[in-house]
Amino acid sequence: MKKVTITTNGNKYTLTFNRKTAAMYNDMGYKAGDLSEKPLVAVPVFIWCAFKANHPSIKQSKTEAIWDELSPKSKNDVLGALVEMYAATYANLMCDENGGDDEGNSATVEFED
């Protein structure tokens, strides 16, 4: 799984998305399109959810302060990487990590009419 590391004031923060944090973002009423349609409210929550994967007790105000320290280019790069990670959680839900088919999997499914 990809990760983004931000270092500030001697502290390292690792941002990523997993199923739990992607679901958390959705449970708060947001969807991926909100990042471009409602960036003022959606981006801070999205960033906070990415922090929560590895820093579960971090407060949203702390993540916003860290975000504000980044340069515009860094913000753009981080947001782009996080969007890819967020999308990958859905892809991984539907297939294995390598994007393969059912070949070699031990579980089988049968359908009846």
Side-chain angles (χ1 to χ4, degrees):
M1 178 184 306
K2 288 184 172 183
K3 295 179 183 178
V4 172
T5 302
I6 296 174
T7 303
T8 181
N9 298 324
N11 296 311
K12 282 189 173 187
Y13 299 93
T14 304
L15 289 67
T16 192
F17 272 97
N18 56 37
R19 289 182 190 171
K20 182 178 179 181
T21 56
M24 182 176 136
Y25 184 69
N26 292 148
D27 289 345
M28 287 191 236
Y30 296 98
K31 58 186 187 292
D34 292 339
L35 295 170
S36 60
E37 294 170 18
K38 304 181 223 176
L40 292 176
V41 293
V43 170
V45 175
F46 187 75
I47 300 302
W48 180 50
C49 290
F51 272 90
K52 297 284 278 181
N54 292 298
H55 310 280
S57 63
I58 197 164
K59 303 247 186 265
Q60 186 174 350
S61 59
K62 177 69 173 174
T63 65
E64 288 178 16
I66 294 167
W67 183 254
D68 288 344
E69 292 178 24
L70 299 177
S71 70
K73 182 183 180 335
S74 292
K75 287 178 182 179
N76 191 48
D77 292 346
V78 169
L79 188 57
L82 293 177
V83 167
E84 287 181 22
M85 290 178 215
Y86 179 80
T89 62
Y90 292 99
N92 289 339
L93 179 64
M94 300 310 291
C95 63
D96 67 25
E97 289 185 17
N98 299 318
D101 56 19
D102 291 337
E103 193 172 316
N105 290 346
S106 60
T108 60
V109 177
E110 294 181 28
F111 295 95
E112 293 183 27
D113 287 330

